[in-house]
Amino acid sequence: MLGVKRDSTHGSTAQAASIGQLAYCRDSAQSKMYDLTADSRPLDQRGRDAVRLDLDFRWEGQRTPARRIELFVAGAGGQVYQLLADDIYLDQASDLTELFETARAQLVIDTP
């Protein structure tokens, strides 16, 4: 799955949004994500500060590992863009990272 959304639920900066999203994911009762491990790192998105969040987990009631990659970058009006790529049937042949990087290269946001 690939998606893009824009909101201010967790703050108006890439850092705040990624921290809020990670806190949500760590709350298994809400997110339904279990055995979560996460890696967060800053990066540049077309000259703008961004944060990449890599999540490895399993969905509630599933044994199969899943992976999600999310990018947070601030746009106009206090909104943060969130690009996400999700693979619920993760295996060695997963193209998730390639899909994410292709989408990231094409992502154009409004500017504050």
Side-chain angles (χ1 to χ4, degrees):
M1 177 181 83
L2 184 64
V4 176
K5 73 176 186 176
R6 184 179 75 168
D7 69 22
S8 59
T9 301
H10 299 299
S12 61
T13 67
Q15 184 70 22
S18 67
I19 290 169
Q21 179 69 8
L22 183 54
Y24 169 81
C25 292
R26 285 189 169 141
D27 182 352
S28 297
Q30 288 185 355
S31 70
K32 308 301 182 204
M33 295 175 163
Y34 292 86
D35 303 326
L36 178 71
T37 60
D39 180 45
S40 175
R41 63 183 171 274
L43 46 93
D44 178 80
Q45 177 65 25
R46 295 186 175 207
R48 303 187 58 96
D49 290 338
V51 175
R52 177 177 165 161
L53 187 59
D54 290 73
L55 306 169
D56 289 303
F57 60 98
R58 65 178 180 78
W59 289 112
E60 180 180 50
Q62 300 294 316
R63 292 185 182 172
T64 309
R67 175 168 293 148
R68 178 179 285 174
I69 305 172
E70 302 186 30
L71 176 76
F72 300 87
V73 60
Q79 302 288 301
V80 174
Y81 283 80
Q82 178 186 6
L83 169 68
L84 75 90
D86 203 11
D87 192 341
I88 61 171
Y89 302 109
L90 190 63
D91 63 20
Q92 296 299 326
S94 176
D95 293 328
L96 184 66
T97 301
E98 183 179 338
L99 174 67
F100 174 80
E101 289 300 333
T102 299
R104 181 178 166 229
Q106 301 301 314
L107 181 65
V108 177
I109 64 164
D110 55 9
T111 55

